[in-house]
Amino acid sequence: MKIAIIGAGPRGLMMLHRLLKALKQPAEIDLYDSFQIGGHVWRTDQPLYYLMNSTAQLVTLFNDYQEKSTTGPTFYEWSQSEAAQTFIKEQHYDQDFSKVCHSLQPNDFGPRALFGVYAQWFYQEIRENLSGNLSINFINQTVNSAAVLSKNRYEIQTDTTTITYDEVICSTGTSNNRLTNDEKSLANYADQYNLTYITPSYVNEADLTNITSDQTVLLRGLGLNFFDYLATFTTGRGGKYSYDKNQHLTYQPSGKEPKLVAGSRRGVPYYPKTMNQLPLGQHLPLYFLNWENIKTNLVDQKLSFAKFWDLFQAEIENRYYQLLIKAKYPNLNAESFTKAFQTSKDRKATIAKCNFNEEDLLDWNLLANPVAGTSITNIAAYQKILLQWVKLITDDAKLGSLHAPITGALTIFVDMRTTIQKLVAEHYFTNDDYVNKFIKEFTSFTGFLTSGPPVIRYEQLQALLEAKILTIVPPQLQVIGANHHFIARSHFYPGEIFTCDALIEARLPKTNLSLTNDKLLNSLQKDNIFSSYKIPLTDGQQFNTQAVNVAEPNFNPLDSQGELHHHLFVWGLPITGVEWMTTALPHALSDDRNFMITNQIAKQIVNH
């Protein structure tokens, strides 16, 4: 049997590992990637100041689905091992990863480059433990096409090779997209007036050499990519952060930083992640969004989004008040509160009985818009208001997941993740609820609350705002090209404008089959092997998710006529919209959905 895995990032490697465990017959597996083993995101040559967004002790590449103990070292366990030190020495990396390993703590958000080293060691482990009738080969090239020769024969082409396979697994990552009309217009304007325009991309691959210290740079987007650009323009240009005698972080400029201006529709950066304080394998109990409650509330086998949202809110509220009581209300008992809250028919009344101070009550509108209701007269005033909130939420996040009322409560989202992924994958929502509520509202809102950077990035953000290296534009950022520059302003303060020499789209390209530049995805669409997942709505419209349409639970693509390709499999980023949260690294001892999917695909291949 000949098998191709396209993509040598974490998903491709997990798939390879699982297949080799499952296969009983002789097989040859080719692993394709235009980048090194570990893939695009985890390049080992990127600067160490680009951080992971997961805690070191929680992430793993070793499949432990439905196991009671880990089946191999987590990223942190590996980093502390002799095996890591030996591997690092053998590979002769340009960076001192040995030193990084020695300083890494279990709950640190480690460098992305070091996780890339872990991925490469994982691949070496796979190679060294191969049984005699199995072989693997890494082909460091871009796959241009995968043509169907027959029902179980596929021909894969790169620039220099053409090979035929019995089974093909597509686990590609983020790909660049063709520019939207707005992006084309801005790119043309930049060319016309010799400005810098950076389209959505990975920060370490963006060409920033033309941006000098006398320029003003506009960053459009306030998520993870934004924080990577902040690191690039500060630490990456020789600036230094240090703590003063009061343990307050301050920034010492190098003089090479440009003036930074940033904004987005919301006008507030994504919430920071607090430090995990739970040991590996320990999870917070779900009192509300659990399967017992979900099944009780099904109507015609569907869960209304309104009920889902009610259970979701209750879960976070319960955790928030538990932590708040422990932090500020010694006369109350957190366990007693939970029992009352769990059985209450009126949760607001249960909260009211506790007589919390008004400023301590969890306000969902304020959670979604932290600057709502504040009196802001100009952009300078907005900086002060925003800085107050940044300081407040940073102080909260520094307390850790078992003590921080706000960010600690948000960590329960990680424990809800697998449940929500199953609700999406198994179509528990009606099509209208899934499109109009879940995709268009819930995904953005929860991303804002839970997909932000480690708290150290927020300390740095505070230092940069105080040093006036960075200005954040109030909500509803607007950008045009005018007067030979990029002009930025807030919709709410049209009279105050920023004149910028460079515009950076501070976000990654979205998964979008209609716009992708990926040669393989375009080839498979052209040959009608891949089609977009379109969802019919009750108003007669169809919503195009721009994801590859696959039939679950086997992850075979469906063409536009609904025909399955049984020996071709697709998972990960290309099916974002069919699945939810496809970018997350697998967590150890959590029955992670990534591992479930690899098991399912491997089972199909072995049984073919």
Side-chain angles (χ1 to χ4, degrees), residues 188-197 210 215 484 486 501-502:
N188 290 337
Y189 192 84
D191 287 342
Q192 189 176 354
Y193 295 106
N194 199 29
L195 303 172
T196 298
Y197 177 61
N210 290 333
Q215 293 184 339
H484 300 189
F486 292 117
D501 309 285

Side-chain angles (χ1 to χ4, degrees), residues 430-451:
T430 65
N431 287 355
D432 285 53
D433 268 358
Y434 179 56
V435 170
N436 296 321
K437 296 295 184 180
F438 191 92
I439 291 179
K440 293 183 178 179
E441 296 178 8
F442 180 80
T443 299
S444 171
F445 176 59
T446 53
F448 173 58
L449 294 183
T450 66
S451 298

Side-chain angles (χ1 to χ4, degrees), residues 87-134:
F87 181 77
I88 289 165
K89 286 172 187 169
E90 288 172 350
Q91 298 302 308
H92 303 292
Y93 291 109
D94 291 335
Q95 308 195 79
D96 190 355
F97 288 118
S98 291
K99 184 178 178 183
V100 180
C101 286
H102 287 309
S103 63
L104 190 70
Q105 297 299 307
N107 289 309
D108 283 352
F109 295 84
R112 293 205 286 262
L114 183 62
F115 189 85
V117 178
Y118 173 60
Q120 292 181 2
W121 169 82
F122 180 75
Y123 178 68
Q124 179 177 278
E125 280 291 290
I126 292 172
R127 291 187 64 87
E128 290 180 352
N129 289 286
L130 271 180
S131 63
N133 62 348
L134 300 171

Side-chain angles (χ1 to χ4, degrees), residues 452-493:
V455 64
I456 182 61
R457 290 288 190 240
Y458 249 68
E459 288 190 86
Q460 293 169 354
L461 173 67
Q462 185 178 335
L464 293 175
L465 287 168
E466 288 171 346
K468 296 189 166 40
I469 298 287
L470 170 69
T471 301
I472 293 184
V473 182
Q476 298 299 322
L477 173 69
Q478 298 174 331
V479 184
I480 60 168
N483 303 326
H484 300 189
H485 286 86
F486 292 117
I487 305 298
R489 70 180 188 184
S490 163
H491 167 76
F492 297 107
Y493 304 94

Side-chain angles (χ1 to χ4, degrees), residues 47-64:
L48 296 174
Y49 50 73
Y50 294 135
L51 302 179
M52 299 172 64
N53 204 32
S54 299
T55 298
Q57 71 159 327
L58 297 184
V59 291
T60 185
L61 292 177
F62 288 93
N63 192 325
D64 60 14

Side-chain angles (χ1 to χ4, degrees), residues 57-94:
Q57 71 159 327
L58 297 184
V59 291
T60 185
L61 292 177
F62 288 93
N63 192 325
D64 60 14
Y65 189 71
Q66 295 187 336
E67 299 281 353
K68 292 183 179 177
S69 59
T70 55
T71 58
T74 65
F75 171 50
Y76 174 72
E77 289 169 342
W78 166 81
S79 73
Q80 304 306 300
S81 69
E82 279 298 319
Q85 294 300 323
T86 301
F87 181 77
I88 289 165
K89 286 172 187 169
E90 288 172 350
Q91 298 302 308
H92 303 292
Y93 291 109
D94 291 335

Side-chain angles (χ1 to χ4, degrees), residues 71-72 79 89 96 112 146 180 210 237 302 378 395 497 504 562 602 605:
T71 58
S79 73
K89 286 172 187 169
D96 190 355
R112 293 205 286 262
T180 63
N210 290 333
R237 294 202 169 187
K302 297 290 182 182
N378 54 36
D395 288 346
I497 65 168
I504 296 174
I605 290 174

Side-chain angles (χ1 to χ4, degrees), residues 4 24 61 85 90 130 152 203 254 287 344 376 434 475 485 539 541 603:
K24 303 293 188 290
L61 292 177
Q85 294 300 323
E90 288 172 350
L130 271 180
N152 63 337
V203 180
S254 67
Y287 296 98
S344 175
I376 302 167
Y434 179 56
H485 286 86
D539 64 2
Q541 300 293 310
K603 181 181 175 184

